[in-house]
Amino acid sequence: MKKLLFTLLLSACCWALMAQSPIHVGVHGGISNTRIKVKDIGHVLKTGSNTGYMVGAFVRVNLGPIYLEPALNYSHKEGEVENSDGKSSLKYNSFDIPVMVGLHVLDLPVVKLRTYLGPVASFTGKLKWDKHKFGSQIDNDKMMWNGKIGVGVDVWKLTFDIDYEKGLKKFQDNGNGKIKSPRSFNFTLGLKII
């Protein structure tokens, strides 16, 4: 019985220390709404946005009212293009490494409101679309930089974020036409494990 009480007391102390820890580790996932503008390629009439997804893990280091939050995410993003032959998705996958610097605007015991911004290193795969309708080869760089700004709410161990992300470089800008940098709104739900 003493061992059981000691184990329960030790577990409660560890749980309390983890709750007050300045470092949190978690997982998150969400959806994105992305738009990629295209110009002077295959008689594109208009571009639109489409829905993608993201999954990943994050670490949040609290430094008083300021925090630092690096993450590693896998993203699938899609835009939409249309010409006289029809519509096509313009899609790509990437591994993203955002490093956000944030500020706790409201810091209550159960609810926290925060805002953040920072750079995102994005290692992209091939940008794809229907070549039968649009014809052009897309030769995008494999590494891009994006900027991100957003707000988040934490309720106990759950996190909810809404952010805006914009590419800082065009996907393509040459004689084959221009594919501008992606812009997306991201909606993310996360869980702090530690």
Side-chain angles (χ1 to χ4, degrees), residues 32-98:
S32 62
N33 186 280
T34 304
R35 183 182 182 104
I36 305 169
K37 287 193 175 183
V38 177
K39 189 175 180 182
D40 302 329
I41 294 181
H43 306 292
V44 170
L45 298 176
K46 64 180 182 176
T47 58
S49 59
N50 216 335
T51 303
Y53 61 87
M54 178 276 293
V55 293
F58 66 92
V59 175
R60 187 179 301 159
V61 181
N62 294 304
L63 308 166
I66 296 173
Y67 68 91
L68 181 67
E69 186 174 301
L72 176 62
N73 303 323
Y74 173 80
S75 298
H76 173 82
K77 293 185 178 176
E78 292 189 24
E80 189 174 88
V81 289
E82 182 178 348
N83 68 9
S84 56
D85 294 329
K87 291 182 180 180
S88 175
S89 291
L90 185 58
K91 52 191 170 186
Y92 68 98
N93 300 322
S94 64
F95 284 99
D96 301 329
I97 303 173

Side-chain angles (χ1 to χ4, degrees), residues 136-151:
S136 296
Q137 176 68 30
I138 303 169
D139 187 24
N140 60 297
D141 286 338
K142 300 297 183 197
M143 202 284 186
M144 295 181 59
W145 285 99
N146 302 332
K148 184 183 279 198
I149 185 167
V151 295

Side-chain angles (χ1 to χ4, degrees), residues 1 10 28 57 84 101 103 107 110 114 127 148 164 174 184:
M1 185 66 164
L10 185 61
H28 57 191
S84 56
V101 176
L103 175 67
D107 194 356
V110 177
R114 53 194 165 72
L127 192 60
K148 184 183 279 198
Y164 174 74
N174 56 30
S184 62

